[in-house]
Amino acid sequence: MTSTVKVWDRPIRLFHWSLAGSVALCWLTADELQSLHEVAGYAVAGLVGLRLALGLAGTRYARFSQFIRSPRRTLLYAGDMLRHKEPRYLGHNPLGAVMVVLLLLMVGGIALTGWMQTTDAYWGVEWVEETHEALAELLLVAIALHVVGVIHASLRHHENLVLAMITGRKRAPAGGDILWSPNSGKNKQGRCTCGVLVCFCGAFPRRPAARGADGNCLTP
């Protein structure tokens, strides 16, 4: 029987699948069921905030400082991958780390521009609507790349990464596997290289005020 170790804790697994479900719900309700669409969008915003907190103060493999690498090291990993010589990482590999950051920024941007459209200041503003829609379309591309990356890594290293995100367990490390970020000290959490990714400040959203045919507010 193959030996396994715990990598992804319960909060990370709940975040992952909750975000996937919330994003899917946002897509399914984009043109209809506006109230449900907004609720799903606020859920996405809350999940992004949760992931940022886990990235700064979560368990070892959830922390940004554990898996985000420098651009140089990420490019070196990409080159090794093209030559089928990339090492196995127990946590996120460097390209996986890029995808984590990219997805957080994109879904955060979608949630933010969606909320902006519920305010008086940005209701009906064209660039806000266009940004919201463009990010949503680009998110599909990013998700497709994410799925391809998961399949590729699963085949290359002979482990089911989808199952790992369900159970939290991965194959125990062997020789050549990388357990720690190259930026961190021996058995210590490394310095956070991600900086400030995105800051989501909560506020109760305001619905747009009723407007007349000329576009002016009907209420003071």
Side-chain angles (χ1 to χ4, degrees):
M1 182 175 179
T2 303
S3 177
T4 62
V5 294
K6 189 67 170 291
V7 176
W8 309 123
D9 62 7
R10 184 172 297 174
I12 283 293
R13 296 182 342 251
L14 288 174
F15 157 79
H16 182 276
W17 297 113
S18 296
L19 183 64
S22 297
V23 169
L25 185 58
C26 283
W27 264 100
L28 293 173
T29 58
D31 298 320
E32 303 290 342
L33 303 173
Q34 186 63 26
S35 295
L36 185 56
H37 181 77
E38 291 180 9
V39 170
Y42 294 136
V44 167
L47 288 167
V48 171
L50 171 64
R51 186 62 183 91
L52 292 177
L54 294 173
L56 296 174
T59 54
R60 176 186 303 160
Y61 291 104
R63 294 196 178 198
F64 299 129
S65 56
Q66 197 283 326
F67 61 82
I68 294 181
R69 276 84 181 181
S70 66
R72 176 180 175 276
R73 190 169 293 278
T74 301
L75 289 174
L76 287 174
Y77 176 85
D80 288 341
M81 187 182 71
L82 291 175
R83 295 190 295 271
H84 301 290
K85 295 181 179 180
E86 76 277 15
R88 174 180 178 255
Y89 282 74
L90 195 59
H92 292 298
N93 63 52
L95 288 180
V98 171
M99 185 55 67
V100 169
V101 174
L102 180 63
L103 289 173
L104 286 176
L105 289 174
M106 293 183 74
V107 296
I110 293 168
L112 178 60
T113 52
W115 170 78
M116 289 170 67
Q117 293 179 69
T118 70
T119 66
D120 288 335
Y122 294 99
W123 183 82
V125 176
E126 187 174 359
W127 73 263
V128 176
E129 295 179 357
E130 291 178 349
T131 301
H132 185 74
E133 294 174 0
L135 286 175
E137 292 175 358
L138 288 173
L139 180 62
L140 287 181
V141 178
I143 291 174
L145 291 174
H146 173 58
V147 171
V148 169
V150 168
I151 294 173
H152 176 269
S154 296
L155 295 175
R156 283 283 298 135
H157 302 298
H158 309 292
E159 60 181 345
N160 189 332
L161 295 183
V162 175
L163 181 61
M165 190 53 73
I166 296 174
T167 65
R169 306 190 70 85
K170 296 182 71 174
R171 190 178 75 247
D177 290 350
I178 297 179
L179 311 184
W180 308 95
S181 166
N183 298 322
S184 64
K186 184 178 180 181
N187 290 351
K188 292 182 179 180
Q189 193 65 32
R191 186 178 54 178
C192 182
T193 59
C194 62
V196 178
L197 297 177
V198 64
C199 182
F200 248 16
C201 297
F204 289 104
R206 293 177 57 194
R207 299 287 304 177
R211 299 173 186 269
D214 58 358
N216 294 320
C217 292
L218 297 180
T219 56

